[in-house]
Amino acid sequence: MAKFNLKLRKSRHQPMTAEGARGFTREPRIELFLLGVSNMVGEDTFYEGATDRDARFRDLVAAVAVADPDWFSRFVPWLRSGAMMRSASVVAALEGARAQVAAAIPGSRAIVDAALQRADEPGEALAYWLARHGRALPKPVKRGIADAAVRLYTERSLLKYDSVGNTVRFGDVIDLSHPTAKDERQGDLFRHALDRRHRRDNPLPASLRMLAARDALMALPVEQRREVADPAALGAAGMTWEALAGWRQGAMDAAAWESVIPSMGYLAMLRNLRNFDQAGVGDAVAEAVAARLADPGEVAGSRVLPMRFLSAYNAAPSLRWAYPLEKALQHALVNVPALDGRTLILIDTSGSMQSSFSRDGTLRCWDAATVFGLALAARAQAATVVSFSNASRVFPAVGGESVLAAVRRFKDDGYFYGMGTDTERAVREHYDRHDRVVILTDEQAHWHGAADVAAAVPAAVPVYTWNLAGYRVGHTPTDGDRHTFGGLSDAAFAMIPLIEAGSRDQWPF
């Protein structure tokens, strides 16, 4: 039996979806997988408050980490680097380590280390642990955090992330986890981080040249700072665009942006395209930005979720970004397969799919569903795309249209309904001897009297539910040719051709 098709947990009462349809509970690993790949820790969703959702996540982590430690040791690193879920992977690593230590199960040190991939995350992990479990750090947790600090702590990361506004700073991590520096220069960095934290007036070690360059810039009078526009000088001082804006104490004009763009990270560029245009950044610099945006290596290294390209496309007014953003999105959707035969793709645009998955509210679950659904359709041999809520309607294909343009047309032509979730009706109305059905949804279907929402599809035809919210109860069982995936990245789409080829290894890690 395939790993996604594990036996469902038995219940004394028939579970229901949040909208009253017959529901199906899941085997704990499946429930944890779906919640993990969609869980923005501390965020409310349409049907589940943050407190309850986070508690369910912790309980599942503790249970699965002990019941199947091998699966868990593969799941957490993939959750961070494959599904690109930052907060969820940190919480999973720490809560899983706590449960495994209590059960005398080894291996959690490596899991904690793997979950921490950005230099502020050792501090965030430690802050989470101290707030939730106190100062008693189990050795695997302490050593995993220390391993990550050695791997991630540099002069540049100290300048960027060691903020006085953080509860746990680099020096606190060093104090409590006792990392062993990999070389003499990092040893100097560790000692300086401790001096910063404890406000010791010790001289800056000579090996820390980037910090010295930053100090020299900070010593300049404010009226002279606007004259510093050499990208090499700013880069040597580890000057980010946020730091530059504060240092100049004035608006970021074109010259300021052009001086810092060469050292900007991928996501920082993506988020500032509109600012580049408003400041009047020149065409030559814009062409360099566009080339980086469209570079497949840059996209892969950035670990940017596909919907971020939609957000940038919607925010940037200039057409000079449209083509590089489309190319970047295609690179970010590298796992979307080219499906043969006929595929029915149902995109849930009900009210609950308006739940936000970005803190700024610019991206919603139905944005993700539409991006993935239209990307899948663009590569499929023959696809029928349907938007459904209480009503449903086929979204007509336009030959040669880009995915981002199709998403905009989807919105402009009124395909986001925002009403109820009549999934079964949509399946019955639009299934017509298709070779497979893909439903992108939060699974909270209305009651319609059938055994499950896929009852209209013959048992031998695979139905793939792509769950974008991670609620506990689903709309169809995961057995036979009924499969459930999830998340905000494209990773699990690669499972579709594997399943249809008869593979039994149906986790994406």
Side-chain angles (χ1 to χ4, degrees):
M1 181 176 288
K3 289 183 179 178
F4 263 98
N5 296 333
L6 296 167
K7 189 175 182 179
L8 299 175
R9 292 182 293 183
K10 298 215 179 267
S11 174
R12 296 177 62 184
H13 306 286
Q14 173 62 52
M16 310 291 286
T17 70
E19 291 293 344
R22 181 184 179 190
F24 302 87
T25 55
R26 318 177 201 272
E27 185 269 338
R29 288 176 300 176
I30 300 176
E31 186 178 347
L32 176 58
F33 176 87
L34 293 175
L35 181 56
V37 296
S38 56
N39 188 25
M40 300 295 178
V41 174
E43 295 288 311
D44 291 332
T45 59
F46 194 88
Y47 292 113
E48 191 172 25
T51 300
D52 292 342
R53 189 172 177 87
D54 291 347
R56 179 163 67 93
F57 184 62
R58 290 192 301 270
D59 291 345
L60 283 166
V61 164
V64 173
V66 172
D68 194 342
D70 176 69
W71 183 94
F72 188 76
S73 71
R74 292 181 288 116
F75 168 64
V76 174
W78 175 86
L79 185 63
R80 181 64 178 91
S81 298
M84 296 172 282
M85 300 300 292
R86 181 170 169 258
S87 297
S89 60
V90 172
V91 172
L94 295 175
E95 295 292 347
R98 183 169 182 263
Q100 289 183 341
V101 167
I105 296 172
S108 51
R109 172 181 178 174
I111 297 174
V112 172
D113 179 28
L116 308 178
Q117 294 293 318
R118 206 172 73 178
D120 59 334
E121 290 170 5
E124 290 196 4
L126 194 53
Y128 174 87
W129 185 276
L130 293 173
R132 184 152 196 89
H133 302 302
R135 293 182 66 87
L137 283 173
K139 284 186 179 179
V141 173
K142 181 185 294 187
R143 290 172 178 169
I145 292 174
D147 292 342
V150 172
R151 178 165 45 82
L152 297 169
Y153 281 7
T154 64
E155 290 182 80
R156 187 178 298 276
S157 65
L158 184 82
L159 287 169
K160 184 171 183 178
Y161 294 117
D162 188 38
S163 168
V164 295
N166 292 338
T167 302
V168 177
R169 297 182 60 186
F170 279 37
D172 297 310
V173 172
I174 295 165
D175 264 338
L176 294 174
S177 69
H178 307 296
T180 300
K182 60 187 175 184
D183 55 31
E184 185 176 347
R185 186 177 181 185
Q186 191 175 56
D188 289 343
L189 179 71
F190 285 178
R191 284 186 291 275
H192 179 67
L194 289 167
D195 288 342
R196 283 166 59 109
R197 183 65 180 99
H198 299 296
R199 300 181 181 179
R200 300 171 186 150
D201 192 21
N202 291 327
L204 182 70
S207 65
L208 304 182
R209 293 181 291 275
M210 180 175 285
L211 295 179
R214 175 65 70 88
D215 287 348
L217 288 182
M218 297 304 296
L220 287 175
V222 173
E223 59 272 15
Q224 295 180 20
R225 294 178 182 181
R226 295 177 66 88
E227 300 172 9
V228 181
D230 179 8
L234 295 174
M239 189 70 79
T240 64
W241 73 269
E242 300 98 329
L244 182 64
W247 177 70
R248 287 167 56 94
Q249 298 185 24
M252 291 283 285
D253 56 19
W257 282 117
E258 290 173 4
S259 69
V260 79
I261 281 173
S263 60
M264 288 179 73
Y266 190 92
L267 182 57
M269 289 194 309
L270 193 64
R271 287 174 169 170
N272 280 290
L273 297 181
R274 175 157 55 177
N275 289 332
F276 298 164
D277 286 340
Q278 289 177 341
V281 166
D283 288 341
V285 175
E287 287 174 8
V289 171
R292 283 189 64 193
L293 289 177
D295 182 82
E298 291 267 9
V299 174
S302 72
R303 298 176 180 173
V304 170
L305 287 167
M307 283 67 64
R308 291 294 177 193
F309 299 105
L310 172 62
S311 179
Y313 179 77
N314 289 337
S318 172
L319 290 177
R320 65 184 175 181
W321 309 121
Y323 181 60
L325 287 173
E326 178 64 33
K327 290 182 68 177
L329 178 64
Q330 293 298 336
H331 296 319
L333 294 170
V334 67
N335 290 315
V336 173
L339 299 176
D340 59 8
R342 300 176 64 239
T343 305
L344 174 61
I345 300 169
L346 298 164
I347 300 174
D348 180 354
T349 59
S350 63
S352 60
M353 288 289 285
Q354 295 183 63
S355 292
S356 175
F357 82 85
S358 64
R359 292 184 185 273
D360 61 5
T362 60
L363 296 172
R364 304 181 182 278
C365 284
W366 66 15
D367 292 317
T370 306
V371 167
F372 291 134
L374 295 180
L376 194 65
R379 297 196 187 183
Q381 181 179 358
T384 305
V385 177
V386 174
S387 172
F388 76 92
S389 180
N390 287 342
S392 61
R393 181 163 53 131
V394 173
F395 179 70
V398 172
E401 185 177 42
S402 72
V403 173
L404 288 174
V407 172
R408 176 164 288 182
R409 181 166 60 90
F410 196 96
K411 178 181 179 181
D412 291 346
D413 289 358
Y415 283 86
F416 289 116
Y417 289 121
M419 304 293 287
T421 314
D422 203 340
T423 315
E424 184 205 346
R425 181 179 177 183
V427 174
R428 289 187 179 278
E429 286 187 358
H430 297 283
Y431 177 74
D432 182 20
R433 300 183 299 279
H434 290 85
D435 297 297
R436 67 187 63 79
V437 179
V438 179
I439 309 174
L440 299 109
T441 178
D442 62 6
E443 293 197 79
Q444 300 310 294
H446 283 297
W447 181 77
H448 210 278
D452 67 79
V453 301
V457 181
V461 175
V463 177
Y464 304 99
T465 297
W466 186 277
N467 181 302
L468 289 149
Y471 296 121
R472 178 172 179 267
V473 177
H475 67 191
T476 187
T478 49
D479 56 15
D481 272 307
R482 304 297 185 255
H483 310 273
T484 302
F485 308 129
L488 303 173
S489 79
D490 63 336
F493 271 125
M495 298 295 100
I496 294 177
L498 290 176
I499 290 170
E500 295 184 1
S503 171
R504 300 178 66 83
D505 185 15
Q506 294 177 21
W507 297 109
F509 46 82

